[in-house]
Amino acid sequence: VGENHTLLLGKNGKVYSFGYNANGQLGTGNVSTYKAPVDINLSGIVKVVAVGNTSYAIDGEGHAYAWGEGYTKQPSKLNIDANIVDIGRNYYLAEDGIVRKISNNQELLLSVNEYDPSGPAAIEEEKIVQISEENDYILMLGETGKVYSYGTNTYGQLGDVTLNPRQSNITTAVKISSGNVLQNV
């Protein structure tokens, strides 16, 4: 679900949408609001994601499509040369397990140094298997079950037991209240 719209993925790979549509986030080519699901003429889709007033879809070949705020009113294929398995507002996850920015393909590096800017980053070599992104932060699930977070942290949404923002290209593992790293997710 997005801010005020919903995407549904049929077992047959077709995409349906309904709700508010001022930014074209329903993918119908117009800005009419729909109170019941409407077929948006996409097929072969394996995943849909709605964030805010923007919608995304990934097909079985790893191509991503976007529509709504910041894009057109109909699904348009993103110009990304990667086999995409997950996507959010600003980042995508490729089959190689690396998270990159949609805008410039810059990699988001994982670190185990707790954001200590005084020392060199200890880069974590872990394949990411899933991402979930909101307006100004992202959570990433590693193949070992660790959860990594990155972005603003005004309300503790990064789960690192602080309110410190993490907005460089380095992330760290989410912790439980005792300060231990959350694992086996």
Side-chain angles (χ1 to χ4, degrees):
V1 298
E3 187 171 326
N4 293 299
H5 76 290
T6 301
L7 300 177
L8 301 176
L9 177 59
K11 290 181 181 180
N12 59 0
K14 294 186 74 59
V15 179
Y16 305 88
S17 63
F18 57 97
Y20 188 62
N21 194 29
N23 296 284
Q25 62 266 43
L26 297 184
T28 57
N30 59 48
V31 292
S32 299
T33 294
Y34 290 83
K35 297 178 184 175
V38 60
D39 182 346
I40 65 166
N41 201 27
L42 265 181
S43 59
I45 302 301
V46 296
K47 182 168 187 143
V48 292
V49 176
V51 181
N53 293 313
T54 309
S55 300
Y56 302 91
I58 301 170
D59 69 18
E61 296 178 0
H63 301 117
Y65 301 82
W67 61 97
E69 188 173 11
Y71 297 97
T72 61
K73 294 178 181 69
Q74 290 181 308
S76 298
K77 186 176 171 184
L78 295 177
N79 189 19
I80 297 174
D81 188 24
N83 189 2
I84 299 170
V85 295
D86 209 348
I87 195 163
R89 179 185 301 269
N90 300 301
Y91 298 95
Y92 70 90
L93 171 63
E95 187 177 45
D96 61 9
I98 297 174
V99 178
R100 295 176 176 90
K101 286 190 90 163
I102 292 173
S103 62
N104 62 11
N105 291 317
Q106 179 183 3
E107 292 182 15
L108 192 60
L109 301 176
L110 301 178
S111 172
V112 292
N113 74 347
E114 302 300 327
Y115 301 100
D116 180 3
S118 64
I123 301 300
E124 180 92 310
E125 296 290 335
E126 178 159 14
K127 183 177 179 180
I128 299 300
V129 296
Q130 185 177 359
I131 63 174
S132 183
E133 185 180 1
E134 195 35 70
N135 287 336
D136 51 6
Y137 69 100
I138 183 171
L139 296 178
M140 298 161 278
L141 176 61
E143 66 183 345
T144 64
K146 287 183 184 176
V147 177
Y148 297 88
S149 58
Y150 171 78
T152 63
N153 200 21
T154 308
Y155 304 104
Q157 64 265 45
L158 297 186
D160 65 358
V161 195
T162 75
L163 295 178
N164 300 328
R166 310 296 186 217
Q167 295 175 298
S168 67
N169 65 341
I170 300 171
T171 66
T172 194
V174 172
K175 299 175 182 178
I176 54 178
S177 60
S178 65
N180 295 323
V181 173
L182 180 63
Q183 298 183 56
N184 301 318
V185 175

